[in-house]
Amino acid sequence: AVSNPAYGLAEDPRQLGSGGASDGAGTAVGGNGGGRMTLTVNSLVLNGQVLANGDPGFGFSLRTSGAGSGGAIRIDVGTLSGSGAIQAIGGVGGTNGTAGDGGGGRIAIYYTTLSLPTANITARGGILSRVGAAGTIYLKGPAPDIGDLIIDNGNGASGQVTPLRVVSTTLRNLTVSGLGVLDTSLGAVVQNLFVTSRGVLHVVTGVQVRVLQLLSVTGAGEVRLSSGGEVLCEGSIYSD
């Protein structure tokens, strides 16, 4: 089955995750997509879990089905603290290894104070055999009026990419890591660009990514430019 195209916007997650493909005979139905959650609260101490994960596919002998993709989580909060987890992870495909894993969903958090570790916020694809692409994590503090975008696939190598789908192409920090692959069909202006932990930024033909302060490429990260694609750095460049 062909993967569904990406949909929705990083800043405003609102679409449910999509279901996985069945085996074609109705023996093994696809996994359900993740749900949608919107939460507005003054203060949240999170020591449990907020989940919009896709369900796994199923496998029966030679019959197998695809997994659901991650869903949508948006949290508007004054103070977010604790040691819990926020996830919109794709499910894993059926057990014989031929079905697709689900792509990651979308998470957006608008906050005044954030002390919950950002490592506890995950929107990766399912990781079993045919790994799903990374979803998006958007974090927006009180100032300046631009946010941070994270694309991290939890070190799962996928044949799919994450397209840049945003309302605003101006960002404070853009991070691509953990074997996530960000495909920029839109131009962008970012203060800081971090490509690390085998993440890949692909700038397509005719698109410019403008970096105002720091371009950092570390941990076997890659910046790939198609013919006519451009990364313009007006600040410092760091590479290990």
Side-chain angles (χ1 to χ4, degrees), residues 101-151:
D101 302 328
R106 298 195 187 276
I107 298 172
I109 301 175
Y110 292 80
Y111 65 91
T112 300
T113 302
L114 176 64
S115 60
L116 181 84
T118 56
N120 295 12
I121 306 169
T122 50
R124 62 170 174 80
I127 301 175
L128 180 63
S129 55
R130 298 187 177 183
V131 177
T136 57
I137 300 168
Y138 182 79
L139 305 175
K140 169 68 175 62
D145 193 28
I146 51 177
D148 303 333
L149 181 62
I150 301 169
I151 291 87

Side-chain angles (χ1 to χ4, degrees), residues 14 43 50 68 73 76 91 100 136 141 169 172 183 221:
R14 58 175 60 197
S43 178
V50 176
I73 298 173
D76 292 80
T136 57
T169 55
R172 185 178 68 163
D183 202 62

Side-chain angles (χ1 to χ4, degrees), residues 9-17 34-39 44 46 49-53 70-76 80 85-89 105-110 121-123 136-139:
L9 299 168
E11 298 98 326
D12 189 21
R14 58 175 60 197
Q15 283 86 6
L16 303 174
R36 172 189 175 188
M37 176 180 178
T38 301
L39 177 65
L44 175 61
L46 179 64
Q49 296 178 312
V50 176
L51 307 178
N53 296 334
I73 298 173
R74 173 167 173 161
I75 300 176
D76 292 80
L80 176 57
I86 301 172
Q87 299 177 354
I89 297 173
R106 298 195 187 276
I107 298 172
I109 301 175
Y110 292 80
I121 306 169
T122 50
T136 57
I137 300 168
Y138 182 79
L139 305 175

Side-chain angles (χ1 to χ4, degrees), residues 49-67:
Q49 296 178 312
V50 176
L51 307 178
N53 296 334
D55 284 342
F58 298 91
F60 303 95
S61 184
L62 298 179
R63 297 290 187 181
T64 189
S65 64

